[in-house]
């Protein structure tokens, strides 16, 4: 397995785990609207709080799946594609509330990384 793909997996996974487990209650410049935490961010997007828990669970599971996929290859594509779908949703929510483009940059960058991981068998890195 390419060291670049392993690095991409770790960058995405550790970043998402940080956002959803460590920084979830802290304000950042990347949050949608003027939200101070993840729950507020979902409210700004007009989404119910239960969806915040569902998305968080899926993102944490996907991030763990990416890490485990370093050794269990069969988890690679499903984990990366689930995260890619969720990250696409993040980008769309930023556009929905007309956030400045820079706020969706992390989601866009991680989306590209997830797609590179998911389709790494088709590209040469």
């Amino acid at each position: 397995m390419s060291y670049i793909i392993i690095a991409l997996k770790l960058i995405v996974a550790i970043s998402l785990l940080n956002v959803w487990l460590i920084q979830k209650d802290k304000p950042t410049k990347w949050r949608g609207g003027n939200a101070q935490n993840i729950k507020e961010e979902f409210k700004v997007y007009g989404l119910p709080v239960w969806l915040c828990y569902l998305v968080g669970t899926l993102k944490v599971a996907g991030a763990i799946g990416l890490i485990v996929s370093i050794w269990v290859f069969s988890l690679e594509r499903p984990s990366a594609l689930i995260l890619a779908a969720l990250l696409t949703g993040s980008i769309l929510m930023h556009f929905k509330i007309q956030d400045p483009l820079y706020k969706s940059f992390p989601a866009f960058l991680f989306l590209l990384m997830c797609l590179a991981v998911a389709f790494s068998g088709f590209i040469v890195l």
Side-chain angles (χ1 to χ4, degrees):
M1 178 182 313
S2 166
Y3 289 114
I4 294 171
I5 296 302
I6 292 172
L8 293 177
K9 290 178 183 184
L10 291 173
I11 291 166
V12 170
I14 292 168
S15 297
L16 290 176
L17 291 172
N18 177 54
V19 167
W20 282 90
L21 299 178
I22 297 170
Q23 304 291 326
K24 66 182 172 44
D25 294 320
K26 298 178 183 171
T28 72
K29 68 179 184 176
W30 313 109
R31 295 220 185 276
N34 294 319
Q36 299 297 302
N37 59 53
I38 287 182
K39 285 183 187 176
E40 284 183 25
E41 191 171 12
F42 272 69
K43 286 179 187 174
V44 168
Y45 296 145
L47 301 172
V49 70
W50 66 264
L51 191 58
C52 178
Y53 292 110
L54 177 62
V55 169
T57 300
L58 291 172
K59 283 194 177 181
V60 168
I64 292 169
L66 278 185
I67 293 170
V68 173
S69 76
I70 294 170
W71 300 279
V72 183
F73 183 74
S74 62
L75 292 176
E76 181 178 84
R77 185 164 290 140
S79 298
L81 289 176
I82 287 168
L83 289 174
L86 293 168
L87 290 162
T88 300
S90 298
I91 294 165
L92 292 173
M93 290 298 106
H94 283 290
F95 285 133
K96 174 185 176 185
I97 64 167
Q98 299 176 348
D99 266 340
L101 280 178
Y102 79 87
K103 287 195 175 200
S104 60
F105 177 75
F108 179 72
L109 183 61
F110 295 148
L111 170 61
L112 293 179
M113 290 179 181
C114 285
L115 292 174
V117 168
F119 299 107
S120 62
F122 302 107
I123 56 176
V124 178
L125 294 178

